[in-house]
């Protein structure tokens, strides 16, 4: 008999519980397309007829958003490949509330048009009283672009050679600045720059002096740099890119610059990123003197760089809500992390997994606190576990170090421990398949 006669009809496939659930999430038309593709393959004898349902399910996206949640067990707190800062519960609630129609640009008292993001600006000025005004754009790079375009297009930006930084994945700040039509005026050498170097470079062509936080490397040895406090006294605007978005000093990250201290020491404008140590959504902050911020806000480019309502809502919740997951991670003690690692390793050993708790050194990542080496703890597993953990649901991304798979707890709160333990145990089954089963079952 021709096996192709057994290919199930579309309606029957769609009634299978697995696909009926998918219809809820992806809509009937999308699921139908996946079924048709599977049926075509069966007709072409590329798959057996009884595999049509499984094949159709495999043809659908793994998640509604196209992005899958991943547990960050790398020990890098802000991992750019994992979306940097996880949002707080408050920010997630804010996203849902703003997702429909909302008063993003409406004054409900008067019924007239309001200023977009006015609430967020107020929250920022409360958190950073040193700033006279604030403006939010899509990310840190957009904030720099707007500042360079509005304040220095066709003119010069004075910048120390040691601060010509590449942030990551080919993102070079000097190239971005030049793309706005500004010219760079490099001062000093790779390791040293003096106030006199800046003085000599400043003239009629200067748009502003820029300081960039070297956020992912440290230069040590015979070095010198000039602090914002000294540069603020020069007769041109001082823009400081602090990178990771701390609004005030953090006791555990003493070398990381913050917006309040930087403005107090004389910066006219501070540029920062919101999805790093601020722990919020991707956005860029511009904080400083009213005249400077107004110039940026009124520039035609501002419209192209403006954030959407979801970002504004999540940022507002981050500024006004309880401590973010990022802030909480920085609070946890090594002792607490070690105790959690011991408990998870013990549960795994009880199920026959070669797991041990070990001390590790974590990092901040995401272009922040490059010198910080926070003590952390991890569950150490045989190296093959790294692939099994990545392939589990939810996927867990560990770090591989010296031939071991380390499930580092630094970036994960204790609310994830049960999930982590379960995932390790499920991975163990796949690592050592029971007789008669194939590893991918
Ligand atoms: C991360 C970073 C940026 C870029 O910010 P994004 O929000 O990633 O665009 C710019 N400057 C510095 C110093 C940074 O650390």
């Amino acid at each position: 008999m021709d096996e192709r006669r057994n290919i199930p009809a579309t309606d029957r496939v769609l009634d299978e519980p697995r696909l009926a659930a998918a219809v809820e999430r992806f809509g009937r038309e999308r699921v139908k397309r996946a079924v048709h593709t599977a049926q075509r393959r069966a007709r072409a004898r590329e798959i057996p007829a009884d595999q049509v349902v499984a094949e159709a399910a495999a043809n659908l996206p793994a998640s509604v958003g196209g992005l899958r949640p991943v547990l960050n067990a790398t020990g890098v707190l802000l991992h750019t490949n994992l979306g940097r800062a996880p949002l707080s519960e408050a920010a997630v609630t804010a996203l849902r509330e703003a997702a429909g129609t909302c008063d993003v640009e409406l004054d409900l008292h008067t019924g007239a048009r309001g200023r977009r993001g006015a609430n967020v600006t107020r929250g920022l000025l409360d958190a950073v009283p040193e700033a006279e005004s604030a403006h939010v754009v899509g990310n840190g790079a957009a904030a720099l672009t707007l500042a360079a375009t509005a304040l220095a297009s066709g003119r010069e930006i004075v910048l120390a050679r040691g601060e010509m930084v590449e942030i990551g994945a080919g993102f070079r700040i000097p190239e971005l600045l030049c793309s706005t039509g500004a010219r760079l005026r490099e001062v000093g050498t790779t390791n040293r720059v003096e106030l006199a170097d800046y003085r000599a470079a400043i003239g009629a062509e200067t748009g502003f002096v820029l300081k960039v936080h070297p956020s992912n490397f440290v230069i040590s040895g015979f070095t010198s740099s000039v602090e914002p406090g000294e540069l603020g006294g020069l007769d041109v605007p001082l823009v400081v890119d602090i990178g990771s978005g701390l609004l005030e000093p953090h006791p555990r990250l003493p070398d990381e610059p913050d917006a309040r201290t930087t403005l107090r020491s004389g910066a006219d404008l501070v540029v920062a990123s919101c999805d790093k140590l601020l722990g919020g959504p991707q956005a860029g902050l511009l904080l400083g003197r009213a005249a400077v911020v107004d110039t940026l806000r009124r520039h035609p480019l501002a419209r192209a760089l403006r954030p959407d309502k979801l970002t504004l809502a999540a940022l507002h919740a981050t500024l006004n809500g309880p401590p973010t997951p990022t802030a909480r991670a920085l609070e946890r003690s090594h002792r607490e992390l070690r105790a959690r690692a011991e408990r998870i390793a013990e549960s795994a050993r009880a199920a026959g997994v070669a797991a041990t708790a070990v001390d590790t050194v974590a990092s901040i990542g995401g272009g922040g606190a490059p010198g910080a080496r926070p003590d952390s703890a991890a569950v150490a597993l045989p190296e093959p576990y790294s692939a099994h953990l990545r392939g589990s649901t939810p996927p867990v991304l560990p770090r591989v170090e010296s031939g071991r798979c380390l499930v580092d707890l630094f970036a994960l709160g204790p609310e994830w421990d049960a999930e982590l333990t379960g995932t390790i145990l499920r991975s163990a089954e796949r690592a050592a398949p029971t007789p008669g089963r194939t590893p991918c079952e």
Side-chain angles (χ1 to χ4, degrees):
M1 191 183 82
D2 188 345
E3 143 99 353
R4 285 179 292 182
R5 287 218 208 124
N6 295 333
I7 296 171
T10 307
D11 284 341
R12 242 187 66 211
V13 181
L14 286 172
D15 281 345
E16 289 284 331
R18 201 151 36 135
L19 292 186
V23 168
E24 299 275 310
R25 286 195 291 161
F26 301 109
R28 199 172 173 83
E29 286 312 306
R30 178 67 187 84
V31 181
K32 242 183 183 169
R33 279 209 308 277
V35 172
H36 290 163
T37 306
Q39 289 167 327
R40 261 198 311 278
R41 293 199 64 198
R43 265 181 240 117
R45 295 208 171 89
E46 289 166 16
I47 56 168
D50 63 3
Q51 286 297 304
V52 167
V53 175
E55 171 73 11
N59 285 339
L60 289 167
S63 68
V64 197
L67 302 173
R68 297 177 66 191
V70 176
L71 301 196
N72 176 9
T74 59
V76 181
L77 180 58
L78 301 162
H79 199 299
T80 298
N81 304 153
L82 295 179
R84 291 191 185 154
L87 293 182
S88 62
E89 283 303 320
V92 173
T93 304
L95 286 179
R96 293 191 75 94
E97 286 177 359
T101 42
C102 62
D103 62 348
V104 64
E105 240 173 74
L106 182 83
D107 183 335
L108 281 169
H109 290 300
T110 61
R113 179 163 182 264
R115 188 199 269 179
R116 189 180 182 84
N119 292 338
V120 175
T121 308
R122 266 198 296 281
L124 280 167
L125 298 182
D126 278 351
V128 185
E130 290 79 1
E132 294 169 0
S133 189
H135 183 64
V136 181
V137 291
N139 61 12
L144 272 176
T145 303
L146 184 55
T149 309
L151 305 176
S153 187
R155 303 173 69 201
E156 287 180 356
I157 298 172
V158 178
L159 175 64
R161 177 169 293 180
E163 295 175 15
M164 299 214 158
V165 179
E166 175 171 327
I167 300 294
F171 168 40
R172 294 177 170 174
I173 287 187
E175 289 175 359
L176 177 78
L177 296 172
C178 290
S179 77
T180 68
R183 294 187 304 278
L184 287 190
R185 181 74 182 262
E186 239 177 273
V187 293
T189 61
T190 305
N191 54 329
R192 290 180 73 85
V193 62
E194 315 278 349
L195 186 58
D197 297 317
Y198 285 95
R199 279 225 176 85
I202 286 169
E205 286 296 294
T206 308
F208 59 86
V209 169
L210 176 65
K211 262 198 81 70
V212 177
H213 177 42
S215 43
N216 49 12
F217 67 99
V218 184
I219 295 188
S220 61
F222 184 53
T223 64
S224 76
S225 62
V226 186
E227 292 309 305
E230 296 173 80
L231 294 172
L234 303 172
D235 232 6
V236 290
L238 171 64
V239 179
V240 182
D241 177 4
I242 60 169
S244 71
L246 278 186
L247 299 184
E248 50 190 9
H250 195 290
R252 286 186 76 173
L253 303 171
D255 295 331
E256 195 61 11
D258 68 281
R260 296 192 62 178
T261 308
T262 307
L263 286 169
R264 218 179 293 137
S265 68
D268 298 286
L269 185 71
V270 161
V271 173
S273 202
C274 296
D275 54 356
K276 298 181 184 172
L277 288 168
L278 183 60
Q282 179 188 303
L285 292 184
L286 293 146
L287 295 157
R289 285 198 200 292
V292 178
V293 177
D294 281 347
T295 304
L296 306 185
R297 191 183 283 124
R298 284 198 293 265
H299 192 280
L301 189 60
R303 169 61 190 245
L305 304 177
R306 78 180 190 180
D308 73 330
K309 62 185 179 180
L310 300 179
T311 301
L312 291 171
L315 182 54
H316 185 271
T318 303
L319 293 168
N320 293 281
T324 63
T326 304
R328 292 206 307 269
L330 289 171
E331 293 299 318
R332 282 192 281 272
S333 67
H334 171 251
R335 195 207 281 182
E336 184 187 339
L337 293 167
R338 175 79 199 201
R340 288 171 50 201
E342 301 276 4
R343 275 197 298 276
I344 298 173
E346 210 171 285
S347 308
R349 276 198 304 276
V353 179
T356 50
V358 293
D359 288 337
T360 59
V361 178
S363 61
I364 302 301
R373 314 295 295 150
D375 289 327
S376 178
V379 180
L381 298 163
E383 194 189 318
Y385 272 81
S386 67
H388 298 311
L389 290 170
R390 275 201 323 276
S392 62
T393 304
V396 173
L397 187 67
R399 158 167 110 245
V400 174
E401 204 175 271
S402 323
R404 288 186 307 183
C405 166
L406 298 181
V407 178
D408 198 306
L409 300 181
F410 189 65
L412 292 164
E415 66 275 19
W416 292 104
D417 288 359
E419 184 97 65
L420 276 177
T421 309
T423 306
I424 291 171
L425 298 187
R426 285 194 301 279
S427 299
E429 285 168 21
R430 281 194 282 173
T434 49
R437 282 171 72 201
T438 61
C440 8
E441 246 170 29

